[in-house]
Every structure is written in structure tokens, then in C-alpha cells.
């Protein structure tokens, strides 16, 4: 497994079901209290072109049209998070795709019942995270800054 150190980034989409159900704050709260740093944050309306690129791996599946319709049904919150091994940390926090079998304690396990309506997207590898951050954010929308909390989130050797 390849990791990118303390500046590793991942791309999260807080999906239309979360926006409609008022769960954006709850989902962001979980990442903030975990110790992850928010370095990009905005609302966006997604279109067919960006979804076809983002979901290329499922574009031929029979359920894809309903995923596309759902993802365009309202704005999404687009978030870039940073932290050591944060791609894997976020995937663990999300839980598996099918929310109703996601373990309690995970975001999908606690907040959702759906397969399509599963409240959140998170990059599944460091390589895909780089592509996805670049897909949804302009370089100037990623804001680098020091977070004083890091002194207590990571030990000295993990901050290098
Ligand atoms: P992931 O979001 O857990 O990484 P992927 O396999 O990348 O899951 O699928 C992308 C999205 O497509 C899922 O989050 C889900 O919303 C939707 N999806 C995937 N498989 C199914 C399915 O079998 N039925 C309905 N929707 C699905
Ligand atoms: Mg995926």
C-alpha cells in the first residue's frame, strides 16, 4: 500500500440524500473530530459529463442511470480532507457501499439504509484520490494551512 505522508488528501462527496436530510454538518463533524483537516469545501451541482468520468467504473451497470439521476437531484458538498493515511481512514469511517449492512459506528451504518442513497462518496485509493481532487477542485481552491490541533492528533514522529 502506497501512502503520501501527513499531506495525503482524499476527496469526499456528501451526496444529495445528505444535503436533503440535513446531514452535511453531522458528516463533517465526524471527520473534524477524527482529526482530519478540511482543506477544500464547497457546494456543487454535478452534470452528466463529470459523473460519467467519476463513475466510469459503473457506467455500464444497469443501475447507473438511477445513480446519475440521484447525483444530479440536488447539490452535493465537495470536501477535500488531509491527514496521514486519510484515504484509508475515510473509507473505514464510511463503511461498505450497501448502507443497510454497514456496521454501526460507520457513517453509512449510522445514517443510511440505501444502496444508491448511501450519503457519501470517498476516494478508494491514493492514486484515485489525486485524480478526484483534481476533478472537483481547482488548485487554488485547496487551502494549505497549519492546524495547531496536529500537535495532539499525531505524535512527533508521525508529524514528519
Ligand atoms: P463506493 O461508493 O462504496 O466506493 P462503488 O462500487 O464505487 O461504491 O459504486 C459507486 C456508487 O454507485 C455507490 O456509492 C452507490 O451509490 C452506487 N452503487 C454501486 N453499486 C450499486 C448497486 O448494486 N445498486 C445500486 N447502486 C449502486
Ligand atoms: Mg467507489
Amino acid at each position: 500500500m502506497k501512502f503520501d505522508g501527513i499531506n495525503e488528501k482524499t476527496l469526499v462527496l456528501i451526496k444529495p440524500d445528505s444535503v436533503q436530510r440535513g446531514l452535511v454538518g453531522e458528516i463533517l463533524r465526524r471527520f473534524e473530530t477524527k482529526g482530519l483537516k478540511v482543506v477544500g469545501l464547497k457546494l456543487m451541482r454535478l452534470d452528466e459529463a463529470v459523473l460519467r468520468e467519476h463513475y466510469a467504473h459503473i457506467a455500464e451497470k444497469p443501475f447507473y442511470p438511477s445513480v446519475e439521476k440521484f447525483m444530479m437531484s440536488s447539490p452535493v458538498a465537495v470536501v477535500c480532507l488531509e491527514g496521514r493515511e486519510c484515504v484509508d481512514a475515510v473509507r473505514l469511517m464510511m463503511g461498505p457501499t450497501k448502507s443497510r449492512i454497514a456496521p454501526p459506528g460507520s457513517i453509512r451504518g449510522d445514517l443510511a439504509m440505501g444502496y444508491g442513497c448511501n450519503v457519501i462518496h470517498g476516494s478508494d485509493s491514493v492514486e484515485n484520490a489525486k485524480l478526484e481532487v483534481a476533478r472537483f477542485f481547482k488548485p487554488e481552491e485547496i487551502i494549505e494551512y497549519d492546524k495547531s490541533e496536529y500537535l495532539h492528533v499525531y505524535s512527533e514522529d508521525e508529524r514528519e
Side-chain angles (χ1 to χ4, degrees):
M1 190 77 73
K2 189 167 111 285
F3 295 116
D4 265 5
I6 200 159
N7 295 322
E8 185 170 302
K9 292 179 180 55
T10 194
L11 190 281
V12 163
L13 300 176
I14 306 182
K15 293 185 176 183
D17 50 340
S18 304
V19 172
Q20 293 298 322
R21 293 173 59 208
L23 295 173
V24 176
E26 165 65 19
I27 292 172
L28 275 178
R29 182 194 65 78
R30 288 174 178 237
F31 293 132
E32 287 193 291
T33 53
K34 176 74 170 166
L36 295 168
K37 190 200 286 187
V38 177
V39 295
L41 180 61
K42 62 180 175 179
L43 280 182
M44 253 180 115
R45 283 189 198 282
L46 305 181
D47 61 23
E48 285 101 339
V50 78
L51 284 167
R52 226 156 235 290
E53 198 178 286
H54 183 65
Y55 281 138
H57 62 294
I58 57 162
E60 303 310 320
K61 302 274 189 194
F63 56 81
Y64 181 74
S66 84
V67 170
E68 185 183 81
K69 191 173 170 201
F70 163 64
M71 291 298 289
M72 297 195 312
S73 63
S74 91
V76 297
V78 188
V79 188
C80 181
L81 297 169
E82 190 179 274
R84 190 170 276 279
E85 294 174 36
C86 76
V87 172
D88 285 357
V90 167
R91 289 291 292 189
L92 278 171
M93 289 176 75
M94 286 165 51
T97 313
K98 192 176 178 182
S99 305
R100 51 190 175 270
I101 59 151
S106 67
I107 292 170
R108 286 167 169 168
D110 287 350
L111 302 177
M113 279 295 286
Y115 214 149
C117 294
N118 59 8
V119 295
I120 186 169
H121 162 84
S123 309
D124 63 6
S125 67
V126 172
E127 192 186 14
N128 281 337
K130 287 185 179 136
L131 296 172
E132 292 179 2
V133 170
R135 178 172 302 138
F136 290 97
F137 285 102
K138 297 176 189 137
E140 64 270 25
E141 290 176 326
I142 301 297
I143 311 294
E144 305 288 353
Y145 60 99
D146 291 330
K147 201 166 193 233
S148 60
E149 181 193 70
Y150 268 18
L151 293 174
H152 306 285
V153 169
Y154 300 107
S155 56
E156 199 170 358
D157 57 311
E158 290 173 313
R159 287 198 300 273
E160 280 158 13

